[in-house]
Coordinates of all heavy atoms in Angstrom, one line a residue:
R64 N 115.3 131.1 71.4 CA 116.4 131.7 71.0 C 117.0 132.5 72.1 O 118.3 132.5 72.2 CB 116.0 132.8 69.9 CG 115.9 132.2 68.6 CD 115.8 133.4 67.5 NE 114.6 134.3 67.7 CZ 113.4 134.0 67.2 NH1 113.2 133.0 66.4 NH2 112.4 134.8 67.3
L65 N 116.4 133.0 73.0 CA 116.9 133.7 74.2 C 117.6 132.9 75.2 O 118.7 133.2 75.7 CB 116.0 134.7 74.7 CG 115.5 135.9 73.8 CD1 114.4 136.7 74.4 CD2 116.7 136.9 73.5
N66 N 116.8 131.8 75.7 CA 117.2 131.2 76.8 C 117.3 129.6 76.6 O 117.6 128.9 77.6 CB 116.2 131.4 78.0 CG 116.3 132.9 78.4 OD1 117.3 133.5 78.3 ND2 115.1 133.4 78.6
G67 N 117.1 129.1 75.4 CA 117.3 127.7 75.2 C 115.9 126.9 75.5 O 114.9 127.5 75.9
I68 N 116.1 125.5 75.5 CA 114.8 124.7 75.5 C 114.2 124.7 77.0 O 113.0 124.4 77.1 CB 115.2 123.3 75.0 CG1 113.9 122.5 74.7 CG2 116.0 122.6 76.0 CD1 113.3 123.0 73.4
E69 N 115.1 124.9 78.0 CA 114.6 124.8 79.3 C 113.5 125.8 79.7 O 112.6 125.5 80.4 CB 115.8 125.1 80.3 CG 116.7 124.0 80.4 CD 116.1 122.7 81.0 OE1 115.5 122.7 81.9 OE2 116.5 121.6 80.4
T70 N 113.5 126.9 79.0 CA 112.5 127.9 79.3 C 111.0 127.5 78.8 O 110.1 128.1 79.3 CB 112.8 129.3 78.7 OG1 112.8 129.1 77.3 CG2 114.0 129.8 79.3
L71 N 111.1 126.6 78.0 CA 109.7 126.1 77.4 C 109.0 125.1 78.3 O 107.8 124.8 78.0 CB 109.8 125.7 76.0 CG 110.5 126.6 75.0 CD1 110.7 126.0 73.7 CD2 109.5 127.9 74.9
K72 N 109.6 124.5 79.3 CA 109.0 123.7 80.2 C 107.9 124.3 81.0 O 108.1 125.4 81.5 CB 110.1 123.0 81.1 CG 111.0 122.0 80.4 CD 111.8 121.3 81.3 CE 112.7 120.3 80.6 NZ 113.7 119.7 81.5
R73 N 106.9 123.6 81.2 CA 105.8 124.1 82.1 C 106.2 124.0 83.6 O 106.9 123.1 84.0 CB 104.6 123.3 81.9 CG 103.4 124.1 82.0 CD 102.1 123.4 81.3 NE 101.5 124.3 80.6 CZ 100.2 124.4 80.7 NH1 99.5 123.6 81.5 NH2 99.5 125.3 80.0
H74 N 105.9 125.0 84.3 CA 106.3 125.0 85.7 C 105.2 124.3 86.5 O 104.0 124.6 86.4 CB 106.4 126.5 86.2 CG 107.4 127.2 85.4 ND1 108.7 127.1 85.7 CD2 107.3 128.3 84.5 CE1 109.4 127.9 84.9 NE2 108.5 128.6 84.1
K75 N 105.6 123.4 87.4 CA 104.6 122.6 88.1 C 104.0 123.4 89.3 O 103.0 123.0 89.7 CB 105.2 121.3 88.6 CG 105.6 120.4 87.4 CD 106.1 119.1 87.8 CE 106.4 118.4 86.5 NZ 106.5 117.0 86.6
T76 N 104.7 124.2 89.8 CA 104.2 125.1 90.9 C 104.3 126.5 90.4 O 105.0 127.0 89.6 CB 105.1 124.9 92.2 OG1 106.4 125.4 91.8 CG2 105.2 123.5 92.6
K77 N 103.5 127.4 91.2 CA 103.4 128.7 90.9 C 104.8 129.4 91.4 O 105.2 129.1 92.5 CB 102.3 129.4 91.7 CG 102.1 130.8 91.4 CD 100.8 131.3 92.2 CE 100.6 132.7 91.8 NZ 99.5 133.4 92.5
R78 N 105.2 130.1 90.5 CA 106.6 130.7 90.8 C 106.4 132.0 91.5 O 105.4 132.8 91.3 CB 107.3 131.1 89.5 CG 107.7 129.9 88.7 CD 108.6 130.1 87.6 NE 107.9 131.0 86.7 CZ 108.6 131.7 85.6 NH1 109.8 131.4 85.4 NH2 107.9 132.4 84.8
K79 N 107.2 132.3 92.6 CA 107.2 133.5 93.3 C 108.4 134.3 93.1 O 109.6 133.8 93.1 CB 106.9 133.2 94.9 CG 105.7 132.5 95.2 CD 105.5 132.3 96.5 CE 104.2 131.6 96.8 NZ 104.0 131.3 98.1
F80 N 108.3 135.5 92.8 CA 109.3 136.4 92.5 C 109.6 137.4 93.6 O 108.6 138.0 94.1 CB 109.1 137.1 91.1 CG 108.9 136.2 90.0 CD1 107.5 136.1 89.5 CD2 109.8 135.6 89.3 CE1 107.3 135.2 88.4 CE2 109.6 134.7 88.3 CZ 108.4 134.6 87.9
S81 N 110.8 137.6 93.9 CA 111.1 138.6 94.9 C 111.0 140.0 94.5 O 111.0 140.2 93.2 CB 112.6 138.4 95.4 OG 113.5 138.7 94.4
A82 N 110.9 141.0 95.4 CA 110.7 142.3 95.0 C 112.0 142.8 94.2 O 111.9 143.6 93.2 CB 110.5 143.2 96.3
E83 N 113.2 142.3 94.7 CA 114.4 142.7 94.0 C 114.4 142.1 92.6 O 114.8 142.9 91.6 CB 115.5 142.1 94.7 CG 117.0 142.5 94.3 CD 118.1 141.9 95.0 OE1 117.9 141.4 96.1 OE2 119.2 142.1 94.5
F84 N 113.9 140.9 92.3 CA 113.9 140.4 90.9 C 113.0 141.3 90.1 O 113.3 141.7 89.0 CB 113.4 139.0 90.9 CG 113.2 138.4 89.6 CD1 114.3 138.0 88.8 CD2 112.0 138.3 89.0 CE1 114.1 137.5 87.5 CE2 111.7 137.7 87.7 CZ 112.9 137.4 87.0
K85 N 111.8 141.6 90.7 CA 110.9 142.3 89.9 C 111.5 143.8 89.6 O 111.3 144.3 88.4 CB 109.5 142.6 90.7 CG 108.9 141.3 90.9 CD 107.5 141.6 91.8 CE 106.8 140.3 92.2 NZ 105.7 140.5 93.1
W86 N 112.2 144.4 90.6 CA 112.8 145.7 90.2 C 113.8 145.6 89.2 O 114.0 146.4 88.3 CB 113.3 146.1 91.7 CG 114.3 147.3 91.5 CD1 115.6 147.3 91.7 CD2 114.1 148.6 90.9 NE1 116.2 148.5 91.4 CE2 115.4 149.3 90.9 CE3 112.9 149.2 90.4 CZ2 115.4 150.5 90.3 CZ3 113.0 150.5 89.9 CH2 114.2 151.2 89.9
N87 N 114.6 144.5 89.2 CA 115.7 144.3 88.2 C 115.0 144.3 86.8 O 115.6 144.8 85.9 CB 116.4 143.1 88.5 CG 117.4 143.3 89.6 OD1 117.7 144.4 90.0 ND2 117.8 142.2 90.3
V88 N 113.9 143.5 86.7 CA 113.3 143.4 85.4 C 112.6 144.6 84.9 O 112.9 145.1 83.8 CB 112.2 142.3 85.5 CG1 111.3 142.3 84.2 CG2 112.7 141.0 85.8
I89 N 112.0 145.5 85.8 CA 111.5 146.7 85.4 C 112.6 147.7 85.0 O 112.4 148.4 84.1 CB 110.7 147.3 86.6 CG1 109.4 146.5 87.0 CG2 110.4 148.8 86.4 CD1 108.8 146.8 88.3

Side-chain angles (χ1 to χ4, degrees):
R64 277 192 298 272
L65 291 171
N66 297 323
I68 198 77
E69 288 296 315
T70 59
L71 299 176
K72 286 185 181 176
R73 213 163 223 230
H74 302 285
K75 294 190 182 199
T76 59
K77 184 176 180 181
R78 297 187 299 169
K79 294 183 181 179
F80 302 103
S81 67
E83 186 178 348
F84 175 80
K85 294 175 186 178
W86 163 244
N87 288 336
V88 173
I89 294 167

